[in-house]
Amino acid sequence: LIVNTGRADDPTHGDTGTLHQNNNNDDNTPKVVTGSLSGAKNVSKIVPPYNHCNFANSDNRPRSYPNRTTPNYARLLVSGPDASGIVASFSQLLFEHNCGIVDCASESSEKDHLFRGNNGGGNLDGRHFYQRILFDTSNMNVDRTIVEREIWAMCRRFGMESQLSWGDKRRNVAIFVSKYDHCLWELLLRHRAGELPCNIQHILSNHDDLRPVADTFGVPYSVFPIAKETKSEQEQKQMRLLAERNIDLIVLARYMQVLSPRFCNSYPNRIINIHHSFLPAFVGASPYHRAHERGVKLIGATAHYATVDLDEGPIIEQDIMRVSHRDDVKDLVRKGRTLEKNVLVSAVKAHLEDRILVHKNKCIVFGE
């Protein structure tokens, strides 16, 4: 279920191409890079590394680029049984504390097991309600704790759940990678461009191959070699590092390892994975090979929250591309890279902007 508020969407980018550099001799003219950096190794002359004097905070942690949205914007997500007066009640609550609603999107839907009836009819009882409110707190006339307490009381009255983000603290993100670099490049470039409001604190991998990419952006990179007999021990080390860096969100950017149930359960709805197929089709390994064997006419990519069930978590974002019998497996892999990196970035952005509500095994994703 996708709920759009009608705001214009920025066009996605990141298609595969050739690097082009502005060779203007004027040192004051910024260098312009276009195309894909996937597969590049030595790009320090094309994409200069961060100035570490400006990049590190006093505690030597990476400092993110300034947020392009005002820190006075807060976000409230609520979900629960539908009832009359929900929208009015929350709007009145915010109004009484001098908070201005900037954007509001809501939707209700029948519970799957109650959607019955003849001639297209259905049982209207049992609707589930979802709402996202973006509101300005710059003129709020009470302490935050009062607003939080009143929202909690309102949710209790309606039997709802809520999630409130004041918008003044960026989430800490860790990226897991293996050897494929296209998703990592896209995440780091979009972050550098200010499109992902977060702090990319660390990159973790089971191989050393992508360290040059991390070095280009000045992000710490740690390697945890994974073998069957050492996987549990290495996962414990990874989890200790994540705890030390206060990680809020984990992004699996083509990380070719299956996480243990303990790992997944430690970060519920906070691990985003990109799978290179249009789920639920071709779950598991080698989806492009299996898609080619079946002669598919469409390939896709799916970003979802990772759960203990492989590739079965709530779906956040998907996209597809048409292919034909003339495309071999290499063509499918090449075309799929563009889908994978753009779908993953869209999912991460939606999570960071609190535009996702998870209900059972579904994601309700509000538009930008």
Side-chain angles (χ1 to χ4, degrees):
L1 176 61
I2 307 298
V3 184
N4 293 316
T5 60
R7 291 190 171 190
D9 191 11
D10 292 331
T12 59
H13 63 276
D15 54 326
T16 303
T18 306
L19 292 178
H20 302 282
Q21 183 177 354
N22 183 353
N23 292 319
N24 194 320
N25 292 326
D26 186 357
D27 291 337
N28 294 323
T29 302
K31 297 178 180 179
V32 179
V33 179
T34 62
S36 174
L37 295 175
S38 179
K41 296 300 181 182
N42 185 12
V43 295
S44 58
K45 294 182 179 179
I46 299 176
V47 184
Y50 286 148
N51 184 335
H52 288 269
C53 294
N54 296 324
F55 182 72
N57 288 318
S58 58
D59 59 356
N60 204 32
R61 291 191 175 186
R63 176 185 296 145
S64 60
Y65 279 84
N67 196 344
R68 294 185 176 182
T69 60
T70 172
N72 292 330
Y73 285 173
R75 298 179 285 266
L76 173 64
L77 295 170
V78 295
S79 65
D82 199 359
S84 300
I86 294 177
V87 175
S89 297
F90 282 101
S91 299
Q92 181 66 25
L93 186 157
L94 296 174
F95 171 76
E96 290 176 351
H97 298 308
N98 213 27
C99 297
I101 295 179
V102 179
D103 186 52
C104 179
S106 61
E107 183 67 29
S108 62
S109 62
E110 288 83 3
K111 291 183 179 180
D112 294 341
H113 69 281
L114 292 176
F115 189 75
R116 296 181 177 89
N118 298 321
N119 300 321
N123 187 351
L124 298 182
D125 294 330
R127 283 182 178 271
H128 209 82
F129 179 82
Y130 315 94
Q131 184 176 37
R132 178 182 185 266
I133 303 175
L134 178 70
F135 60 98
D136 186 5
T137 64
S138 57
N139 296 315
M140 190 168 67
N141 52 20
V142 294
D143 188 76
R144 289 181 177 182
T145 56
I146 296 177
V147 176
E148 292 170 353
R149 185 167 61 247
E150 292 187 7
I151 289 175
W152 178 84
M154 189 73 68
C155 287
R156 185 178 181 183
R157 169 188 166 190
F158 286 103
M160 309 188 78
E161 297 179 351
S162 67
Q163 175 184 326
L164 176 61
S165 172
W166 291 104
D168 56 357
K169 180 182 178 183
R170 285 174 170 248
R171 291 180 174 89
N172 295 327
V173 175
I175 303 175
F176 280 55
V177 295
S178 288
K179 293 185 176 181
Y180 296 107
D181 65 350
H182 54 288
C183 289
L184 178 61
W185 274 114
E186 195 71 13
L187 288 166
L188 295 174
L189 287 170
R190 297 283 192 101
H191 178 259
R192 170 173 280 189
E195 297 181 29
L196 297 177
C198 65
N199 303 315
I200 298 181
Q201 294 279 16
H202 218 96
I203 298 173
L204 297 83
S205 179
N206 54 330
H207 298 282
D208 201 50
D209 298 52
L210 302 188
R211 185 182 296 275
V213 182
D215 291 342
T216 298
F217 290 85
V219 181
Y221 187 93
S222 296
V223 178
F224 298 87
I226 303 293
K228 184 177 181 179
E229 58 275 5
T230 63
K231 184 171 183 175
S232 178
E233 178 185 353
Q234 294 292 69
E235 261 199 1
Q236 291 179 9
K237 293 180 180 178
Q238 291 173 335
M239 294 178 68
R240 282 198 295 269
L241 176 60
L242 297 176
E244 292 171 0
R245 305 311 295 266
N246 297 315
I247 297 300
D248 302 298
L249 175 66
I250 299 170
V251 181
L252 307 181
R254 292 301 304 273
Y255 182 61
M256 309 306 289
Q257 293 290 325
V258 178
L259 301 180
S260 69
R262 178 190 175 194
F263 198 119
C264 292
N265 292 331
S266 297
Y267 294 90
N269 298 329
R270 291 194 292 151
I271 304 175
I272 297 179
N273 179 54
I274 182 67
H275 183 68
H276 40 307
S277 80
F278 192 74
L279 292 176
F282 306 116
V283 172
S286 304
Y288 290 127
H289 293 76
R290 288 184 285 147
H292 183 262
E293 291 173 358
R294 291 296 305 274
V296 301
K297 304 302 181 281
L298 295 170
I299 60 170
T302 303
H304 64 93
Y305 286 120
T307 63
V308 295
D309 298 315
L310 181 64
D311 297 330
E312 297 283 349
I315 293 174
I316 305 170
E317 182 64 277
Q318 292 180 296
D319 199 2
I320 57 173
M321 179 181 294
R322 181 163 291 279
V323 296
S324 74
H325 61 277
R326 296 176 178 175
D327 294 309
D328 58 20
V329 174
K330 291 183 179 179
D331 294 324
L332 301 188
V333 172
R334 173 178 54 81
K335 292 181 177 182
R337 289 194 188 107
T338 300
L339 295 175
E340 293 165 24
K341 61 187 181 183
N342 287 332
V343 166
L344 180 59
V345 168
S346 295
V348 172
K349 191 170 187 289
H351 181 97
L352 295 173
E353 294 175 351
D354 298 300
R355 291 191 283 111
I356 304 173
L357 271 170
V358 179
H359 177 62
K360 296 184 177 179
N361 203 40
K362 295 181 180 180
C363 284
I364 291 80
V365 184
F366 295 96
E368 294 188 62

